[in-house]
Amino acid sequence: MNNSLISLKKLEFTLCTSRDELRRIADRVGRLYEPYDLHKKGTDKWRHIDNPHDELKKLQRIINKNVLKKNISLLPERMTGGITGKSIIDNAKNHVGKEYILIVDIKNCFPNTDQLKILHVWRTYFGCGNTTARILTQLTTFQARLPQGAPTSSLLCNFALLPIFRKIDHYASLNNLSFSIFVDDITISGRKADVIKSIKPIIKILKEHDYAVKKKKIKIFASGYSQRTTGINVNKKLSVGRRKLNEIRKLIIESAKLKGYLPSTLINKITGDINFTKQVSPNDGKKLKELANKLLIAPIKIVKSESDCNTRTCNDFKRNHKYILD
């Protein structure tokens, strides 16, 4: 067991915080969140953010750095979400050139990862005693669930999903399937018959652990069509896909018509899209960069613009959110 946190003394040392301070924050943690909803222009959904206060967020960052990140080696290589140095690209690499790909989205993954699951994580993987496990669970959950927007949530979600990962991985290895998971996105790939046959067993495993899937979020891609997982095309090689490349090209060309006056959000988007493309497919990224350098001739005056996102205060989780408790 790495960095066992069996005692309060060890927890104090690890988090550089006294037990009295830890208890003080833990006992009032429910009042240390200011939830809001985030709406991105062009969509019809609001994303719920639990938004821990600075005092709690600072402590959660310490927990993330001094405990969770130092034990990343306990997580499987094909579990890549929320892990420093890994990305959706690492997830996609497992599924290049496969006949069929299956994507299963775990429904309401964070809100359905409850306190008991997180308590189990602290006890099982970090050697916590009853008191330290209780304090850490209080500090990393909100309204008896995993909070959206807390620094600790992504890695804790990985640890909570470990039993599911192991069962699906065992099934996949017995049926010649490739398997990976990125936060709440499960990807399976292989021969057509094996992939289709895997749907029911995967759903059964999720149900055994009190998770579910949305039927409309179950996606199957054949090799004759565009195959994507976590936003990356994996048909024969990694790429952002022809449609995305055309969208970026069009954005660069349309931006050039603004005659040097570019909103800051626009130039940031172009730069981000090009850099991401370069990571996935260096040659495609290079061509986009050359096009941008040719058309977006310096000097460019960047002007402030309205944010692409709107927010609203939220005290009720059961609203029109991306994640809705059913």
Side-chain angles (χ1 to χ4, degrees):
M1 183 68 63
N2 294 347
N3 296 331
S4 176
L5 297 172
I6 189 72
S7 68
L8 272 173
K9 184 177 180 180
K10 183 63 182 290
L11 187 63
E12 287 179 301
F13 176 79
T14 302
L15 302 185
C16 307
T17 308
S18 72
R19 66 185 67 188
D20 290 339
E21 181 70 359
L22 290 172
R23 282 175 168 148
R24 183 188 70 81
I25 296 175
D27 288 343
R28 60 191 293 265
V29 73
R31 299 190 293 275
L32 296 179
Y33 286 87
E34 192 170 350
Y36 67 87
D37 297 335
L38 186 67
H39 177 256
K40 189 170 183 178
K41 291 179 181 178
T43 69
D44 60 355
K45 292 182 178 180
W46 290 81
R47 181 183 178 89
H48 180 82
I49 306 295
D50 289 305
N51 189 31
H53 289 186
D54 289 343
E55 178 184 37
L56 176 59
K57 187 178 290 185
K58 179 181 178 181
L59 186 52
Q60 289 172 338
R61 284 175 176 153
I62 295 173
I63 295 170
N64 200 48
K65 179 182 177 181
N66 293 359
V67 182
L68 296 174
K69 286 187 175 182
K70 287 189 176 181
N71 286 277
I72 283 177
S73 60
L74 297 175
L75 296 173
E77 186 178 345
R78 284 169 286 110
M79 183 177 267
T80 54
I83 296 178
T84 302
K86 292 189 177 182
S87 69
I88 56 177
I89 297 172
D90 296 285
N91 178 71
K93 286 178 181 177
N94 296 289
H95 308 285
V96 176
K98 300 299 175 67
E99 183 181 358
Y100 262 62
I101 290 180
L102 167 70
I103 311 293
V104 176
D105 181 84
I106 302 175
K107 184 179 180 181
N108 299 334
C109 187
F110 276 23
N112 284 329
T113 302
D114 59 32
Q115 271 186 336
L116 291 178
K117 290 186 175 74
I118 299 305
L119 185 67
H120 177 77
V121 165
W122 290 121
R123 285 174 170 167
T124 304
Y125 303 111
F126 298 94
C128 290
N130 290 335
T131 301
T132 55
R134 180 184 60 81
I135 291 174
L136 284 167
T137 299
Q138 285 179 289
L139 294 172
T140 55
T141 58
F142 176 53
Q143 296 178 346
R145 57 177 171 78
L146 203 57
Q148 185 75 20
T152 48
S153 288
S154 290
L155 282 179
L156 279 174
C157 182
N158 284 341
F159 281 102
L161 293 176
L162 259 179
I164 290 173
F165 181 97
R166 289 167 178 160
K167 287 184 179 180
I168 296 178
D169 190 47
H170 179 68
Y171 175 88
S173 64
L174 292 177
N175 290 274
N176 300 311
L177 293 166
S178 296
F179 161 61
S180 67
I181 184 169
F182 189 89
V183 189
D184 58 355
D185 284 331
I186 294 170
T187 307
I188 291 282
S189 62
R191 294 182 302 178
K192 176 181 178 180
D194 297 327
V195 168
I196 293 175
K197 189 176 69 173
S198 72
I199 297 175
K200 287 185 178 180
I202 290 173
I203 292 175
K204 181 181 177 183
I205 291 170
L206 290 170
K207 286 183 176 179
E208 288 172 352
H209 292 270
D210 300 317
Y211 289 100
V213 301
K214 288 183 179 178
K215 288 185 178 180
K216 65 179 180 180
K217 288 292 186 77
I218 298 175
K219 300 176 182 178
I220 299 178
F221 303 96
S223 58
Y225 300 87
S226 177
Q227 293 177 314
R228 299 177 71 81
T229 179
T230 49
I232 297 178
N233 187 291
V234 293
N235 284 74
K236 294 181 180 179
K237 62 179 182 179
L238 295 182
S239 75
V240 297
R242 186 177 301 174
R243 179 182 294 180
K244 182 63 176 178
L245 286 174
N246 289 336
E247 287 178 0
I248 300 172
R249 290 190 191 100
K250 183 179 179 181
L251 183 61
I252 294 171
I253 293 168
E254 292 297 319
S255 298
K257 296 177 182 178
L258 297 177
K259 300 185 178 182
Y261 291 84
L262 297 183
S264 56
T265 51
L266 181 58
I267 195 66
N268 289 339
K269 177 169 175 50
I270 292 172
T271 302
D273 284 347
I274 291 174
N275 288 339
F276 176 68
T277 303
K278 286 170 68 177
Q279 292 177 44
V280 178
S281 177
N283 190 47
D284 288 333
K286 180 182 178 182
K287 290 178 180 178
L288 289 174
K289 181 66 174 176
E290 290 172 350
L291 179 65
N293 288 341
K294 179 181 178 181
L295 297 183
L296 304 177
I297 302 173
I300 294 174
K301 182 177 180 180
I302 301 176
V303 295
K304 288 186 178 181
S305 60
E306 292 184 7
S307 172
D308 285 337
C309 298
N310 296 322
T311 62
R312 68 184 182 193
T313 302
C314 177
N315 296 314
D316 177 14
F317 193 76
K318 293 184 179 180
R319 287 171 65 173
N320 180 29
H321 300 114
K322 184 174 182 181
Y323 300 111
I324 300 175
L325 290 174
D326 297 318

